[in-house]
Amino acid sequence: MRAYQAREIESKWQRVWDETGVHRTDPDVGKTKFYTLEQFPYPSGEGMHMGHVRVYSIGDVIARFKRMNGFRVLHPMGVDAFGLPAENAAIKRGVNPRDWTLNNMKKFREEQERLGISYDWDRYVATCLPDYYRFTQWLFLLFYERGLAYRKKAPVNWCPDCATVLANEQVENGKCWRCDAEVTKKELEQWFLKITDYADRLLEGLDRLPRWPERVKTMQRNWIGRSEGAKVTFTLPELDDEQVTVFTTRPDTLYGVTYLVLAPEHPLVDRLIAGKEKEGEIRAFIERMRKESEIQRTAADAEKVGMDTGAVARHPLTGEEVPVWIANYVLMDYGTGAVMGVPAHDERDFQFAKKYGLPIRRVIRPRDGELEEPLAEAYTGEGVLADSGPFDGMDNREAIRAISEHLAEKGLGGPAVTYRLRDWLISRQRYWGCPIPVVYCDSCGTVPVPKEELPVLLPEDVVFDGKRNPLTTSESFVRTTCPSCGGPARRETDTMDTFIDSSWYFLRYADPKNDRLPFDPERIREWLPVDEYIGGIEHAVLHLLYSRFFTKVLYDAGLVHVDEPFTSLLTQGMVLRDGAKMSKSKGNTVSPLDIIERYGADTARLFILFAAPPERDLEWSDSGVEGCYRFLGRVFRSVTGHEELFRNRPEARPEKGPARDLHRRIHRTIKKVTEDVGERYHFNTAISAIMELFNAISEYPEDADRGTLADALETVVILLAPFAPHLSEELWHVMGHEASVHEQPWPAYDPEMLVEEEVEMAVQINGRVRDKLVVPAEADRETVEQLALNQERIKNHLSGKTVRKVIVVPKKLINIVAN
């Protein structure tokens, strides 16, 4: 009997698939399209990990299943290849980031190919290659033309180790998400994209994505952070009544304001403290605040600290003058950079006021009584207004609207909406990224590079010293001519945030060879939206939000016909070992290549799909891998052991006995696997059902109908094809077929074969099982009851007892109550 040689079989069929192009995208536009996509990887020097194996295996099962069900499937792959890790790794090794990345790309693709994933490699894209980033620059210019890309000086998150700016989302617990260095603040001229213009549409669009996990949609809603309230305008007497505006969700507490707080970075602070006694002390405080991250300053358990500027602000409705403070918990990047202090009705303000001896004025009292005196904590509940001028006695919910409208009538503010979301900072002071296609001319100012002159290529003559932006060291790059006047100009030396690259790659796959445009809108119409997008929950905010933003801008520009890119989102769980996420630092990793070398790619795929539903975390099990390998080996030996049966295959005659039972199980299994894969993505239970069918085959009598046995073995192989593609292809040809198993139609089931003829029921007496009974599936209650009472064992147990009641649970059990 032939042994199962996984490596030999897999290398053979990978070579055949490559030569025959079996995975190329079907050109038949008459078929219904299905676009399945796994998030493309970053090609690090470490290669694939088990998380990659899981996500690629999930996507491949879906793609193969859909093809076999008659869909025209787009299943592409590429690499997200720009970014700091490659640049830092290259600097460390003394090589160019391009060489380092291209080598990693080659190795990563080879590893993916060894998994046998059915990618259309003709559509491969790499974000670091000029034929791709040319159009990343083209899209930047589109944003610029539409007023959505702009440059301004702003305080930014600065990583001193990476020597670059970070977006707010890339600062985790006050540290750089890449290198873990402490992040500081720095004033720089930076490029931004106006994602805030799309805040409401990004929120609204989430309501039209029923096949996205609620957890992901909640994370995006919280990040956008829409708040309704009012803007309130205070004035500063010592600055000639210059206005300072605050946003509040509680305008009903406006009469309880006893101080105003500005962010230390607020542009008015410098003028308010100039020449005052504590100016030096306050400036030192401001400098300390600049060095602290937003996370540190706003954490719930962080101490609230501040300083009195010595200035006052005038209350818009009462004319009262209240002190102006600066404090760590107010940020220039959020809201207006100023907040009104209402200590009686906000716990943070209450703690701040108690600490610094500021007045606490109650302006809302409970509907059923008075507040205790003095207040032990802020009162944040519902109630009626007090000491609030013409609004006294009004319900506070009604007062929110009434006071907002009153402010609007007086020209002192009014109803407003604000967002936590800030414009997307895309400038990075690094080399290995997409150059921003802009030049600066003393005569013409900021000038975009004409689209016909793209791409702006990364230069080779740069210095990597880890202390400055390498692009600034290239004279050939920096010095250029103005596209407008032809005079001397200098290039922008910032590169784009790599999230720009991944915000549109799914569109390029639809038309990857286009050398005139990022894509042809007609090719987009063929494929978009992505029907199933698969990737980690870690991208719930950044990548997914940015991709949705890009799609909406392109929709407005008439380049795409949809404004949401991903119809369905599957966020797979992590691969754990000993209860912890696999990582080198924990020493609990398992190498995919080691598993493939020892057991084969089909075993790796089968185990990782069998061990847990895709959305849940998966606990690695060496014994589980062994079990999947043994199962595939049993299937191999069973099919190859019946080669003669397939050479002289008899017609199936499943009319009676074991053949009838196996025939019914075949159809039940087809139904189960079809629904588990096609409707629920319950790959683990689908595999289990295939295993159960194979176990039934293993117990099939030697003298039973051989045609039915051949049918059953063929069904196992074709149902296994999406999960274990190499073995299935090998066995399909052993069975005498010439075409690929992956080009076969998915098997259909006969509904009549799902109807049970007989069922086994437990027979209980007073709740204890005493016997089992096989009855016709359609037997009525009276028949089942009589058959149970006539069982010899039941008669013996009932001897001397009186039957009081017989309870029949159809097709499950009969319980006889007797005493």
Side-chain angles (χ1 to χ4, degrees):
M1 185 175 288
R2 289 166 57 187
Y4 174 39
Q5 301 288 343
R7 288 176 56 193
E8 180 182 312
I9 290 170
E10 290 170 4
S11 61
K12 166 188 170 181
W13 287 110
Q14 286 165 15
R15 185 171 58 254
V16 171
W17 293 338
D18 182 56
E19 291 170 355
T20 59
V22 70
H23 299 144
R24 291 196 189 107
T25 306
D26 190 335
D28 186 356
V29 295
K31 293 181 178 179
T32 302
K33 72 93 177 176
F34 192 90
Y35 186 176
T36 185
L37 181 64
E38 302 99 74
Q39 292 173 358
F40 63 173
Y42 187 86
S44 71
E46 297 175 357
M48 280 200 308
H49 53 66
M50 279 301 170
H52 290 123
V53 175
R54 191 177 195 192
V55 70
Y56 303 150
S57 298
I58 290 168
D60 199 44
V61 168
I62 295 170
R64 291 182 183 275
F65 176 83
K66 288 293 183 180
R67 287 193 199 98
M68 295 174 79
N69 277 275
F71 287 81
R72 181 187 185 218
V73 173
L74 177 59
H75 188 210
M77 182 44 63
V79 282
D80 188 14
F82 271 140
L84 277 175
E87 185 166 341
N88 290 342
I91 292 170
K92 184 177 179 181
R93 292 163 175 81
V95 298
N96 188 286
R98 177 183 289 100
D99 298 334
W100 168 257
T101 301
L102 293 178
N103 185 54
N104 289 342
M105 285 165 51
K106 181 176 180 291
K107 290 193 298 183
F108 209 100
R109 176 167 168 172
E110 289 170 353
E111 292 178 15
Q112 288 176 308
E113 289 174 335
R114 289 198 63 182
L115 270 178
I117 309 298
S118 60
Y119 294 131
D120 181 351
W121 290 108
D122 288 349
R123 293 174 182 259
Y124 186 79
V125 301
T127 61
C128 68
L129 297 181
D131 65 347
Y132 184 90
Y133 74 72
R134 166 190 178 185
F135 293 113
T136 301
Q137 294 170 345
W138 191 99
L139 291 170
F140 172 88
L141 295 176
L142 175 73
F143 277 68
Y144 185 80
E145 291 160 4
R146 298 181 68 82
L148 295 170
Y150 67 96
R151 191 169 183 252
K152 70 172 183 178
K153 194 169 187 178
V156 294
N157 303 306
W158 179 258
C159 174
D161 285 9
C162 296
T164 191
V165 166
L166 302 175
N168 291 334
E169 300 92 330
Q170 294 166 329
V171 181
E172 298 175 351
N173 298 318
K175 296 182 178 180
C176 172
W177 72 322
R178 289 293 190 193
C179 72
D180 221 29
E182 290 287 340
V183 173
T184 61
K185 284 290 186 181
K186 191 172 184 178
E187 288 269 347
L188 288 175
E189 289 276 356
Q190 303 288 287
W191 282 96
F192 294 81
L193 297 186
K194 295 181 74 171
I195 192 172
T196 53
D197 280 10
Y198 283 76
D200 280 328
R201 289 174 61 186
L202 288 166
L203 280 172
E204 178 273 329
L206 294 171
D207 297 329
R208 294 186 279 113
L209 297 172
R211 292 170 57 194
W212 276 42
E214 280 303 320
R215 177 186 176 194
V216 172
K217 293 194 284 187
T218 297
M219 291 169 75
Q220 290 212 3
R221 288 188 182 104
N222 290 343
W223 188 258
I224 295 167
R226 187 180 192 275
S227 297
E228 294 186 10
K231 285 191 174 179
V232 184
T233 302
F234 290 76
T235 53
L236 300 168
E238 64 184 78
L239 298 182
D240 296 324
D241 284 340
E242 185 158 344
Q243 296 181 341
V244 57
T245 301
V246 304
F247 173 83
T248 177
T249 58
R250 296 292 308 273
D252 53 323
T253 66
L254 182 55
Y255 284 84
V257 173
T258 59
Y259 61 95
L260 198 68
V261 186
L262 302 180
E265 305 88 351
H266 198 290
L268 290 173
V269 171
D270 191 62
R271 293 160 60 195
L272 289 174
I273 65 174
K276 292 188 176 167
E277 181 182 348
K278 293 188 175 181
E279 179 182 357
E281 197 176 328
I282 294 172
R283 291 194 186 281
F285 174 81
I286 293 170
E287 192 56 35
R288 288 202 307 276
M289 293 303 101
R290 287 182 187 276
K291 293 178 181 178
E292 291 190 5
S293 71
E294 294 172 4
I295 299 292
Q296 291 171 308
R297 285 169 57 175
T298 59
D301 58 353
E303 182 186 7
K304 308 300 183 281
V305 294
M307 292 193 73
D308 187 355
T309 67
V312 296
R314 186 174 292 115
H315 193 288
L317 298 183
T318 68
E320 178 186 7
E321 292 186 347
V322 297
V324 177
W325 284 63
I326 58 173
N328 62 340
Y329 65 86
V330 182
L331 304 173
M332 195 61 223
D333 288 346
Y334 290 93
T336 63
V339 300
M340 60 187 209
V342 188
H345 304 291
D346 180 277
E347 189 58 34
R348 182 190 60 187
D349 294 348
F350 180 82
Q351 297 298 334
F352 192 80
K354 293 286 286 185
K355 179 174 182 175
Y356 291 106
L358 295 164
I360 299 173
R361 182 179 301 145
R362 295 173 298 163
V363 292
I364 297 177
R365 59 176 176 77
R367 295 187 182 91
D368 56 357
E370 293 292 331
L371 293 171
E372 62 182 33
E373 185 65 48
L375 288 176
E377 60 183 11
Y379 178 71
T380 57
E382 304 291 314
V384 296
L385 267 61
D387 296 326
S388 297
F391 304 98
D392 278 0
M394 183 178 288
D395 180 271
N396 78 293
R397 305 308 303 174
E398 295 177 13
I400 289 175
R401 177 186 53 80
I403 292 177
S404 297
E405 292 176 353
H406 182 65
L407 288 167
E409 291 169 5
K410 297 285 188 182
L412 299 170
V417 175
T418 192
Y419 302 87
R420 181 177 182 268
L421 182 69
R422 287 293 170 265
D423 279 343
W424 179 6
L425 168 60
I426 66 165
S427 292
R428 298 294 180 271
Q429 291 69 43
R430 302 299 291 192
Y431 170 79
W432 194 234
C434 177
I436 295 175
V438 166
V439 302
Y440 303 105
C441 172
D442 290 340
S443 300
C444 306
T446 301
V447 182
V449 175
K451 290 178 180 175
E452 59 271 17
E453 294 182 15
L454 299 178
V456 175
L457 293 168
L458 286 168
E460 296 286 340
D461 57 336
V462 293
V463 176
F464 295 102
D465 57 14
K467 298 176 181 178
R468 52 187 163 167
N469 179 352
L471 283 179
T472 63
T473 69
S474 170
E475 286 291 314
S476 66
F477 180 82
V478 174
R479 295 186 183 278
T480 187
T481 55
C482 174
S484 180
C485 70
R490 60 182 180 83
R491 288 196 188 277
E492 171 62 73
T493 55
D494 286 351
T495 53
M496 298 186 211
D497 180 7
T498 53
F499 278 107
I500 296 282
D501 308 320
S502 59
S503 292
W504 73 281
Y505 79 107
F506 50 90
L507 299 165
R508 183 66 175 175
Y509 283 137
D511 193 15
K513 309 299 184 187
N514 197 322
D515 60 1
R516 297 180 303 104
L517 295 168
F519 45 79
D520 182 339
E522 287 306 308
R523 299 288 77 76
I524 297 300
R525 193 171 292 277
E526 275 185 41
W527 290 114
L528 266 288
V530 175
D531 296 282
E532 193 65 57
Y533 196 36
I534 308 159
I537 192 72
E538 66 271 18
H539 297 297
V541 172
L542 297 177
H543 165 59
L544 290 172
L545 188 67
Y546 294 154
S547 297
R548 295 179 61 228
F549 167 49
F550 257 65
T551 303
K552 291 179 187 299
V553 173
L554 294 173
Y555 174 82
D556 290 350
L559 295 175
V560 301
H561 64 289
V562 293
D563 73 342
E564 286 292 343
F566 313 121
T567 299
S568 181
L569 177 67
L570 193 163
T571 52
Q572 86 281 357
M574 294 186 295
V575 181
L576 311 177
R577 194 177 192 193
D578 302 325
K581 181 180 178 181
M582 286 188 181
S583 71
K584 283 194 171 182
S585 62
K586 292 187 175 73
N588 66 346
T589 59
V590 175
S591 165
L593 290 183
D594 288 348
I595 297 297
I596 292 171
E597 284 290 326
R598 183 173 179 184
Y599 299 105
D602 283 346
T603 293
R605 291 167 57 121
L606 193 71
F607 167 74
I608 216 154
L609 294 166
F610 179 57
E615 70 279 2
R616 295 186 183 173
D617 291 346
L618 178 157
E619 179 66 35
W620 183 263
S621 166
D622 292 333
S623 62
V625 175
E626 288 273 3
C628 287
Y629 179 67
R630 288 196 300 271
F631 167 71
L632 293 179
R634 287 174 60 211
V635 173
F636 178 83
R637 290 188 294 275
S638 182
V639 173
T640 55
H642 287 92
E643 285 188 72
E644 184 61 32
L645 171 64
F646 290 104
R647 275 197 292 268
N648 300 285
R649 184 169 178 170
E651 183 181 348
R653 298 186 179 279
E655 291 85 9
K656 59 183 180 180
R660 181 195 59 186
D661 294 341
L662 184 58
H663 185 64
R664 289 184 179 280
R665 182 177 284 275
I666 289 170
H667 287 270
R668 287 201 299 271
T669 304
I670 292 171
K671 180 178 187 293
K672 172 71 172 170
V673 175
T674 301
E675 292 176 350
D676 280 356
V677 176
E679 298 175 15
R680 294 185 284 270
Y681 296 162
H682 289 180
F683 308 126
N684 55 325
T685 54
I687 294 169
S688 179
I690 298 170
M691 290 177 171
E692 289 171 10
L693 173 59
F694 183 75
N695 289 339
I697 292 171
S698 301
E699 296 168 2
Y700 190 67
E702 284 291 328
D703 59 353
D705 179 64
R706 311 316 282 164
T708 301
L709 173 63
D711 284 354
L713 285 168
E714 188 170 274
T715 300
V716 166
V717 169
I718 203 165
L719 294 181
L720 265 179
F723 303 98
H726 308 88
L727 175 67
S728 298
E729 189 78 284
E730 176 74 9
L731 297 181
W732 189 249
H733 285 75
V734 167
M735 290 173 170
H737 301 288
E738 293 185 3
S740 171
V741 67
H742 304 292
E743 295 178 324
Q744 304 308 305
W746 188 255
Y749 59 86
D750 183 351
E752 290 187 9
M753 292 297 101
L754 307 179
V755 179
E756 296 174 314
E757 293 182 344
E758 295 179 330
V759 293
E760 185 178 74
M761 301 178 71
V763 184
Q764 300 176 341
I765 297 176
N766 297 330
R768 296 185 65 184
V769 175
R770 297 299 187 182
D771 203 356
K772 290 184 178 179
L773 177 67
V774 176
V775 301
E778 302 307 318
D780 59 26
R781 184 187 182 284
E782 290 74 17
T783 301
V784 171
E785 181 179 328
Q786 199 57 51
L787 287 170
L789 292 172
N790 287 337
Q791 292 284 96
E792 201 59 41
R793 291 183 65 189
I794 298 302
K795 286 181 180 179
N796 292 337
H797 280 291
L798 291 175
S799 178
K801 297 179 181 177
T802 301
V803 175
R804 301 297 182 187
K805 183 191 294 186
V806 179
I807 301 167
V808 177
V809 179
K811 299 184 179 181
K812 291 187 177 179
L813 64 85
I814 306 108
N815 185 29
I816 301 167
V817 181
N819 57 22

